[in-house]
Amino acid sequence: MYSQPGKTKFQVDLRQHLRDQNISGNLVHLICEIAEASKYVINAVRTGDLGVAGTSNLYGEEQLALDVLSDRIMRCNIASEEMEEIFQVTSNPQGMFSVAYDPLDGSSLVDVNLAVGTIVGIYQGNDLLQPGRKMVGSMYILYGPRVSLVYSVGKGVYEFTMNQLMEYTLTRENIQMQPSGDIYSPGGLRKKYSEGNEKFIRYLEAKGSKLRYSGGFVPDINQILMKGKGVFMYPALSDAANGKLRLLFELNPMAFLIEQAGGMATNGEIPILDILPEGLDQRAPVYIGCRNDVEKAAEFLNGMD
Ligand code: FBP
């Protein structure tokens, strides 16, 4: 349990907590800078233009004004889902960290007033095309009824919630997943699911798991992580062999957090964190959450059940 003389955990701010994780001052600074930037993203989400930006990203997808605005707010030595290539801020290629982030995942949900989030993966050095297991930290910021920030630097998973002074203070420590869960979040069009995936869904429903899917990766993972039980999946589809979600910007950061909490994340065959990225825009099918549920998915997908 986090303890600091004369302070309850709710009074422990993010910078103090990071410092006590015995990580480099530069990593503390980087995570605090991203947390600081999120305060402007909140404002953009709450009051920003909901229209389209009139531009498109690397994937030819129409960008929302909020995608472009939140991306501009977040830039450092990064690769962003909204950008064509790695943008190097410093002239020193040996820059300490590289960051892959999705500035506003699920941005189209703001239009219907649902929760969205920023996802961030942090690597040592300037090579982003490394397996996710090489990350030195990851985090997400959830813009929901409350604003929360969840991070790990490889020493457990911690939740901070924004208080009335717009400071992040500690609300949950050392978050742990249970072996099996009772909720499931299935992404994509079900009629495009494989037979193995259909069997997995029927298995989950037969054991009493409830459907919980908002269409936003960050709120859906946050529900599974905070309840410590459940499984999220965005499988391969009949017309999309790699599903939809992106390895660098979405899957690696979440897989790092879920594994740190004792859960599991695979593409149905190997751990997400062991996939060697071939490019910035690589996608992968994903099963992420409670260990027993994710292992069961692999059994159904590989016809062992
Ligand atoms: P974007 O990268 O376009 O934001 O899409 C990501 C996302 O919205 C995730 O947040 C979510 O899990 C998924 O796509 C929903 O996809 P679908 O509507 O196909 O189930």
Side-chain angles (χ1 to χ4, degrees), residues 81 102 105-107 187-188 213 215-217 232 234 244-246 250:
E81 192 190 38
D102 185 345
D105 183 75
S107 53
Y213 188 70
F217 191 40
F232 174 101
Y234 204 110
K244 174 182 182 181
L245 301 181
R246 293 175 186 120
E250 294 158 328

Side-chain angles (χ1 to χ4, degrees), residues 14 30-36 38 100 118-122 135 137-141 149-152 168 253-254 256-257:
L14 179 62
L30 175 60
I31 293 174
C32 289
E33 283 302 305
I34 295 168
E36 205 52 37
S38 75
T118 297
I119 309 174
V120 178
I122 304 169
M135 283 190 291
S138 77
M139 61 195 284
Y140 63 78
I141 297 137
L149 179 155
V150 175
Y151 91 89
S152 179
Y168 286 109
M254 293 304 200
F256 189 88
L257 292 166

